[in-house]
Amino acid sequence: QVQLVESGGGLVQAGGSLRLSCAASERTFSFYCMGWFRQAPGKEREFVAAIRSSGGYTVYADSVKGRFTISRDNARNSAFLQMNNMKAEDTAVYYCAVSPTTPVKYDYWGQGTQVTVSS
């Protein structure tokens, strides 16, 4: 059972930055894909970004493209989400998730970390 723990959430003003971290209980190099999702109050969970095991391929939701950057450090069994130029609509609980194999299916999820952007 893979365990994921997110950290780095908090309160930030619009235009500011936060960096989320996701620590995995197992070696992340074996995971085909790691992703970040978010869920705002009253809304469904939505995809934010994902990165493949090699780190060479990333994909982003249109709403965060150019502002957020996903990365992973397999030596530290971690993934990260750098969030810049943040907007009020980025307010949500952010979740880290792992797809161990291909095709992508996120079988493991963290407990989430709250991100609040004040306007």
Side-chain angles (χ1 to χ4, degrees):
Q1 183 79 8
V2 177
Q3 293 183 339
L4 304 171
V5 179
E6 301 96 337
S7 60
L11 175 65
V12 63
Q13 289 187 336
S17 300
L18 279 177
R19 186 178 189 238
L20 303 183
S21 299
C22 173
S25 60
E26 297 184 12
R27 294 185 176 184
T28 55
F29 73 82
S30 66
F31 302 150
Y32 175 71
C33 188
M34 298 184 73
W36 287 95
F37 293 75
R38 67 187 182 187
Q39 187 167 20
K43 295 186 177 181
E44 294 187 353
R45 185 172 60 195
E46 65 174 0
F47 170 79
V48 176
I51 185 168
R52 286 190 185 166
S53 58
S54 65
Y57 177 81
T58 58
V59 61
Y60 297 91
D62 288 343
S63 59
V64 306
K65 203 171 293 183
R67 300 188 298 120
F68 290 10
T69 303
I70 188 172
S71 61
R72 61 194 288 171
D73 185 342
N74 291 333
R76 294 165 59 188
N77 297 335
S78 297
F80 307 95
L81 186 68
Q82 177 67 43
M83 305 184 292
N84 298 329
N85 189 23
M86 296 185 72
K87 305 176 181 180
E89 51 264 42
D90 294 323
T91 295
V93 177
Y94 284 71
Y95 298 91
C96 174
V98 163
S99 173
T101 60
T102 181
V104 173
K105 180 177 178 293
Y106 292 99
D107 291 329
Y108 302 103
W109 295 80
Q111 82 290 347
T113 185
Q114 176 69 47
V115 171
T116 303
V117 184
S118 62
S119 56

